Amino acid sequence: MNSKLCAWIALCASAATLAAQRSELPGEVKVIERGPHHRVIERMISEPQPDGTVRERLSSYTELATGLHYLGEKGDWHESREEIEIFNGAAVARQGPHSVIFAAQLNSPGAIDLLAPDGKRFRSHVLGLYYTDYASGKTVALAEIKDSTGELTAPNQVTYPDAFDGDCVADVRYTYTKAGFEQDVILRTAPPSPAEWGLNPETTRLEVFTEFIEAPEAKVTSVVLKQEGDAVARQFMKEPDLVDQRLDFGGWSIGQGQAFPLGADADVFSESSVPTGKSLEKIDGRLILIEKVDYPAVREHLGRLPKSASLNKDRKVGLPDPGRTLLARLLPSRPSGEAGKWSPKLQASVAPARAGFVLDYVAMATSSLTNYTFKGDTTYFVTNSAGVNFYGTTVIEGNTVLKCATNSYLYFNGPIDCRTDPYRPATITCKDDNTIGETIVGSTGNPLGYSAQQPLGIKDTSVTYNLHDIRVLYSNYGANIHSNVKASFSHIQFINCKRGAAWLSGAAITWRNFLFAEMDYAFNANGPGTNRAEHGTIYRAYNLISATNSGRLLALTNCLLVAVTN
């Protein structure tokens, strides 16, 4: 380990010894500033001094959460609530920066009516489930939406049970959060194999079709999640690569979705999760969002579900041409049912504990934190489990301290300007860590377990991230590198993290002068990527790298592995 890193560790240890002596003086907690995504909290604390005296001082920190507040009718800030109400026969989520109206009957046009923070409107309804053989281009409709009455299965969640008519049983679930909105299709039984309709299971994708009858124009950025490497084979394939279109509607966006077993960790980097692609297409004048996942990638998960009782081998199979005109023949007509009225008896129902497999997409507010600066010698508290999104260029100054609540996410959708150095690193740690920065209200002072889910979730594929002089402590991950992202890390410490560096398909990362210590996995792969690591120390890791994903490449040069079990 080089001299800079040694000096850094010594400095941090000295600071931790002094900071650990702090004690909190119970007193009035004041909110002195509010904004759409932040609030500043202030209080008096007492600190013991080396001479035995106690000094009182004013302590403050900034809490960050996407959609933390919304403007009331009088122009004042109200704290957002993740809550859906039954109001005048309608189910509405209205206590946040965006609002949603849920039809009582899913099989109705525009059953989901969402108003984004910037006033743009999105009206949509699910159409059905499909198989598409991306080699031949053949498509078969597995199931179409049918009458299903909504139930409030959680304070912020509506579920439409048994919502499809066809060759599998599936529910549709919507979740309202401060930061965004989620649509989940939950398969309750496994659909039959694509081979039943003459499709090749190895080149077939399972797809969910959602129609938007009102939506603003989207800016589309395409990211290749999986590429067909055989140059000869791809010449004969209709759609050889699995592509994900990132859809930016201005103040609202739809990012990458995922497929995962119900009840599992809904984490795109976990080994039980499969990243999904999507495309927004005009088909016969209709705007259709197609979510897609490779059938071989989810076949094992689907095999654990009960088998479908029905099988209609006579379903129409379409072979779309480039204009998608033949595919239009397979699309069901737009729902024509009534939206219906909600009844109080549909409130507070309990979702049955059954097996399922989820295909989801998440829409997020992008009018979040743009060109944000984490100021030096300042403490921030990140609370949003749905994710805090940063856009534009985010600046991280030296001696910044970020403290994270359990399952919080930080997504960086643009470049990061890292203004740290070995003697002024930035630190990301958990809420209960009182050894550095300001003490968070409610801290136990006992940092056990893991806090942030993604403390450094980097997503911009148009830049090469250069991150240096950062420490991450007590976190589920150290850094999360999303699909096709390029990054360079140097003078980095990940300590007491469950997983160190995690990446999705196509990521290319270089590590230099790093320390990974006390973790389950030093490196965690969910898809093929390239990691080159130089002059690093990995100390007490149970696994060097996750073992169930193929296509991994990890090159270590002049690295020291101490007590790495597997």
Side-chain angles (χ1 to χ4, degrees):
M1 196 179 305
N2 67 18
S3 58
K4 282 187 177 181
L5 197 55
C6 290
W8 184 9
I9 294 172
L11 180 66
C12 295
S14 174
T17 302
L18 291 175
Q21 299 175 15
R22 298 178 185 175
S23 62
E24 178 183 336
L25 177 68
E28 184 180 4
V29 176
K30 298 180 180 179
V31 178
I32 63 171
E33 180 182 310
R34 295 181 189 269
H37 314 292
H38 83 284
R39 62 183 165 204
V40 178
I41 294 172
E42 183 179 88
R43 61 181 175 157
M44 293 297 296
I45 64 170
S46 60
E47 292 180 326
Q49 303 300 302
D51 61 1
T53 60
V54 175
R55 178 176 69 93
E56 290 189 4
R57 71 172 177 86
L58 195 62
S59 169
S60 68
Y61 60 87
T62 300
E63 181 179 343
L64 297 176
T66 297
L68 183 62
H69 299 109
Y70 69 99
L71 282 173
E73 294 179 357
K74 298 180 180 179
D76 52 342
W77 291 112
H78 294 258
E79 187 167 347
S80 298
R81 297 178 62 182
E82 296 178 340
E83 183 176 291
I84 299 170
E85 310 165 76
I86 306 298
F87 180 75
N88 287 340
V92 295
R94 55 178 180 165
Q95 299 187 64
H98 53 284
S99 58
V100 185
I101 301 175
F102 304 84
Q105 180 53 252
L106 183 63
N107 191 18
S108 59
I112 306 303
D113 189 344
L114 184 149
L115 189 67
D118 61 356
K120 294 175 182 175
R121 193 177 182 191
F122 298 78
R123 297 175 62 216
S124 67
H125 47 253
V126 177
L127 286 178
L129 300 171
Y130 294 77
Y131 275 144
T132 295
D133 185 334
Y134 62 83
S136 67
K138 292 181 180 178
T139 297
V140 60
L142 283 172
E144 296 177 1
I145 205 72
K146 68 176 184 179
D147 289 348
S148 176
T149 303
E151 299 176 0
L152 196 58
T153 49
N156 66 328
Q157 200 169 77
V158 167
T159 300
Y160 298 89
D162 191 15
F164 294 88
D165 182 20
D167 293 305
C168 62
V169 176
D171 304 338
V172 179
R173 181 179 68 187
Y174 295 97
T175 304
Y176 176 86
T177 69
K178 298 175 186 178
F181 183 73
E182 300 177 24
Q183 174 182 289
D184 299 329
V185 173
I186 307 174
L187 296 172
R188 297 297 187 177
T189 65
S193 167
E196 297 290 347
W197 294 279
L199 280 62
N200 182 357
E202 302 308 313
T203 57
T204 291
R205 294 183 180 128
L206 175 61
E207 301 176 330
V208 178
F209 282 30
T210 300
E211 182 176 12
F212 284 83
I213 59 176
E214 184 174 348
E217 195 74 22
K219 177 184 176 181
V220 178
T221 303
S222 296
V223 175
V224 178
L225 301 181
K226 194 193 77 172
Q227 191 170 41
E228 174 56 57
D230 188 329
V232 176
R234 67 182 293 117
Q235 294 181 32
F236 301 95
M237 292 181 172
K238 295 292 185 180
E239 192 179 343
D241 301 328
L242 179 60
V243 175
D244 182 50
Q245 290 184 352
R246 311 291 164 86
L247 306 173
D248 184 354
F249 298 94
W252 199 252
S253 69
I254 302 178
Q256 184 177 322
Q258 59 184 319
F260 54 92
L262 189 65
D265 188 8
D267 168 17
V268 71
F269 286 87
S270 76
E271 295 179 356
S272 62
S273 177
V274 180
T276 62
K278 66 179 174 301
S279 58
L280 188 63
E281 303 187 20
K282 276 285 183 70
I283 302 176
D284 198 26
R286 302 168 67 180
L287 186 62
I288 309 295
L289 178 70
I290 304 176
E291 304 163 73
K292 55 194 80 175
V293 62
D294 285 347
Y295 179 77
V298 300
R299 180 165 40 199
E300 183 179 345
H301 294 303
L302 296 177
R304 300 190 184 105
L305 298 178
K307 295 188 183 301
S308 297
S310 64
L311 172 61
N312 181 1
K313 297 191 71 170
D314 295 327
R315 290 191 177 278
K316 294 179 180 179
V317 177
L319 182 62
D321 63 12
R324 292 287 202 176
T325 54
L326 295 180
L327 177 58
R329 299 177 188 175
L330 296 182
L331 292 180
S333 58
R334 182 173 293 171
S336 57
E338 295 292 330
K341 289 189 176 181
W342 284 78
S343 166
K345 70 179 182 179
L346 299 177
Q347 190 169 1
S349 299
V350 178
R354 295 186 291 156
F357 188 72
V358 181
L359 296 100
D360 88 334
Y361 79 74
V362 180
M364 302 290 291
T366 57
S367 55
S368 185
L369 297 154
T370 303
N371 296 328
Y372 193 78
T373 296
F374 288 99
K375 297 178 181 178
D377 304 303
T378 304
T379 299
Y380 298 85
F381 178 37
V382 180
T383 62
N384 203 331
S385 60
V388 180
N389 281 275
F390 297 89
Y391 294 87
T393 298
T394 302
V395 176
I396 302 178
E397 295 182 348
N399 279 2
T400 292
V401 177
L402 280 73
K403 296 192 175 183
C404 298
T406 302
N407 291 327
S408 55
Y409 289 73
L410 286 85
Y411 295 124
F412 297 91
N413 300 278
I416 297 176
D417 182 359
C418 219
R419 299 180 185 177
T420 54
D421 61 55
Y423 290 93
R424 288 177 57 83
T427 300
I428 304 175
T429 186
C430 68
K431 169 191 173 183
D432 296 323
D433 185 358
N434 296 346
T435 65
I436 189 169
E438 301 293 343
T439 300
I440 304 301
V441 174
S443 168
T444 66
N446 190 19
L448 297 176
Y450 308 112
S451 59
Q453 190 71 6
Q454 291 191 37
L456 283 173
I458 54 177
K459 304 179 82 170
D460 190 352
T461 59
S462 66
V463 301
T464 297
Y465 288 90
N466 180 18
L467 302 181
H468 57 86
D469 300 293
I470 296 175
R471 308 166 66 226
V472 180
L473 313 171
Y474 306 109
S475 179
N476 232 316
Y477 292 94
N480 300 77
I481 300 92
H482 285 250
S483 298
N484 292 358
V485 167
K486 301 179 288 295
S488 171
F489 291 82
S490 60
H491 305 292
I492 296 289
Q493 290 185 21
F494 296 157
I495 300 173
N496 283 314
C497 297
K498 189 172 184 179
R499 307 169 184 90
W503 69 87
L504 296 178
S505 177
I509 317 107
T510 300
W511 302 86
R512 293 186 179 91
N513 298 318
F514 63 92
L515 172 65
F516 291 179
E518 306 287 354
M519 55 184 59
D520 288 352
Y521 292 95
F523 297 93
N524 185 88
N526 192 346
T530 303
N531 275 257
R532 302 188 182 280
E534 303 171 358
H535 311 299
T537 297
I538 301 172
Y539 173 68
R540 291 182 61 175
Y542 188 72
N543 298 283
L544 177 63
I545 189 169
S546 60
T548 61
N549 290 285
S550 61
R552 300 178 309 279
L553 177 61
L554 175 63
L556 302 180
T557 302
N558 196 30
C559 291
L560 182 64
L561 277 60
V562 181
V564 177
T565 307
N566 299 302

